[in-house]
Amino acid sequence: MRRLVWNELLPKDRYLVRLARPLSFSEMGFVTQLYLPIIGVESYALYQMLVHSVQEASGASAEGTHRSLMLASSLSLDRLLDARERLEAIGLVEVRRRENQQRDYYYEYLLKPPLAPGEFFADYVLSLMLLNKIENVRYAQLRQQYADVLGSKLAEEYSVVENITKDFHEVFQSLKPSELEVKKGSERERFLSEMETSLPQAALKSSFEAQVTHSLSVSSLRLYLPDNADAAKVLEGKSMELLFSLCHFYQLDSWGMGQELRDWTLYKADRSLDGEVLRKRLMQRYTEGKLYRSEAAPTALDDDWGPGRLPEPGSEAFVRACRMLSPLALLEKVVGGRVSKVYLERAETLVFADGLPPEVVNALLLHTLASKQMELPKAYMETIRDSWKAKRIATVDEAVKQIVERSEQRAQSAEKAKTAKKEATPARRNGRAILQDKLPASVEWQLSQEKSATGVSKGQSIHDFPELHKRLEALRKRK
């Protein structure tokens, strides 16, 4: 059946080209050597044309009509669409179609970089497709071209590795908070705001982000300690474990935690760190909005949950959120911003006072929010906390199992209560309940014995007991 291209794409439809990130000269070579035999000349030419239509200096977007693409590539509309779809299937182009109120279409083409040779050859489907196209000799040449023999031998001969890279704060020790502060209404703030408005930058991203986001560094924290602190006591043992936990909970990096450790009132007479004072200080600083926090990691941002919507217990989104987010970051995502002091105290107490693992705390918080209409009652949380501690719940998988079992037990109890209520309801006729006399317990017992033939002796009936038979006949007459 012939494909109706005009129903999908028109020459007058406009398009806009974006780059996910700048492409290097080597990556263009990867497309030529590895992708070209699979996608064909037309798709390769279209990819090159779209890449070079974006401004190289700034990465600014380029736009045009599909008619101009047809003229520049000497391709008909159906061949142009086929070439684009091959690029989509191989992962080099992502297409979004936009529509306005006049039903005009605008296509947005996001150009993606190719896979590195190691990733390409590690993909079973792509490597076999390439082998089928170029056969053994050329395939072996490409594998040899992108092989790293020296690096493999180095890893085998020198197996002991030590990372001696200097930390950012070890080199730049003179950085102060005042140098990074931009006061509201100042000339610098107006200048920065004008730059953001008048000169927006291209939406380029890099797989390797050049950011100063280091994990907690002991050598960095040592530089911020005051004179009345002993580094040997502060940066070792339980004190260091507390610092790691606080950094994870409040999302602090070495610089942010170092600014808090500058305060000389955080240390005891023996020059050790007072953990309780530090916890209260961080809680107060967060409540006042004065805490120097690092940017939250982009985890679970694609999950369809947030304010008013919680992930289902046991789902992939639930487990991912519990494992990858700190309890404070989880509550901020649920609330949609900064959390209140009450919510902060609930989560902080579970982690630092009760000693629950962060992923178990996250499961407890999500379960409580779902059960109590987005509230965190203290008594309810303490009951579940004691139950989980008694059962030694230490992972999110064990917590999910407890939540699911509890939900099933509640459902069974509700079903039993509903069935019992239905059975207890008296029979009705014409909207009125039918009154029924209940037999004495002794008579009911005797009738049941007769029915089951388990009496004292088989063959006996109620007629063998005159007194009981007389009472039964009286009841029947009265009915």
Side-chain angles (χ1 to χ4, degrees), residues 141-162:
Q141 292 176 352
L142 290 177
R143 289 298 299 255
Q144 183 179 4
Q145 178 180 347
Y146 294 115
D148 185 12
V149 181
L150 293 178
S152 177
K153 290 183 177 179
L154 178 66
E156 294 178 0
E157 297 178 3
Y158 300 88
S159 57
V160 180
V161 183
E162 180 184 4

Side-chain angles (χ1 to χ4, degrees), residues 280-465:
K280 294 180 181 178
R281 175 185 174 87
L282 292 178
M283 186 181 301
Q284 180 182 0
R285 297 268 293 176
Y286 174 84
T287 306
E288 297 175 353
K290 298 180 179 179
L291 199 61
Y292 298 101
R293 304 176 65 195
S294 58
E295 294 184 2
T299 54
L301 296 180
D302 296 333
D303 295 332
D304 189 19
W305 67 276
R309 303 186 309 276
L310 297 178
E312 289 293 331
S315 63
E316 183 181 355
F318 186 96
V319 176
R320 186 190 305 116
C322 292
R323 287 178 176 171
M324 304 187 70
L325 293 177
S326 72
L328 180 58
L330 181 95
L331 291 177
E332 287 178 336
K333 186 171 176 60
V334 172
V335 175
R338 189 178 300 276
V339 302
S340 63
K341 187 176 182 180
V342 176
Y343 275 32
L344 176 61
E345 289 177 347
R346 296 280 194 274
E348 203 262 359
T349 302
L350 290 174
V351 176
F352 298 101
D354 300 327
L356 293 179
E359 62 181 87
V360 177
V361 173
N362 288 337
L364 176 55
L365 292 174
L366 288 176
H367 173 61
T368 306
L369 290 169
S371 304
K372 296 299 179 180
Q373 300 180 352
M374 300 306 241
E375 295 182 357
L376 295 177
K378 184 178 181 181
Y380 183 83
M381 294 181 63
E382 290 178 348
T383 302
I384 300 180
R385 176 205 64 191
D386 295 341
S387 174
W388 287 8
K389 290 182 70 173
K391 297 176 181 178
R392 296 183 179 182
I393 303 300
T395 63
V396 64
D397 296 330
E398 296 174 350
V400 168
K401 184 179 179 180
Q402 292 294 321
I403 294 173
V404 173
E405 291 178 355
R406 183 182 178 89
S407 300
E408 293 176 352
Q409 291 175 359
R410 284 186 172 183
Q412 293 176 0
S413 300
E415 186 66 23
K416 289 181 180 178
K418 185 178 180 180
T419 305
K421 183 178 180 181
K422 185 177 181 180
E423 293 177 352
T425 304
R428 308 184 70 87
R429 181 182 298 168
N430 297 329
R432 296 181 179 180
I434 301 176
L435 300 179
Q436 297 178 350
D437 291 333
K438 187 175 182 181
L439 297 175
S442 59
V443 176
E444 290 183 348
W445 178 84
Q446 181 61 30
L447 291 174
S448 65
Q449 293 295 320
E450 290 183 5
K451 186 175 181 181
S452 60
T454 58
V456 176
S457 62
K458 286 189 175 182
Q460 287 186 340
S461 67
I462 195 171
H463 297 283
D464 298 328
F465 300 91

Side-chain angles (χ1 to χ4, degrees), residues 169 175-177 180 221 224 253-260 292:
H169 303 286
L175 189 61
K176 300 178 181 179
L180 303 178
L221 293 180
Y224 297 100
D253 56 8
S254 297
W255 186 81
M257 177 58 75
Q259 303 308 312
E260 307 302 329
Y292 298 101

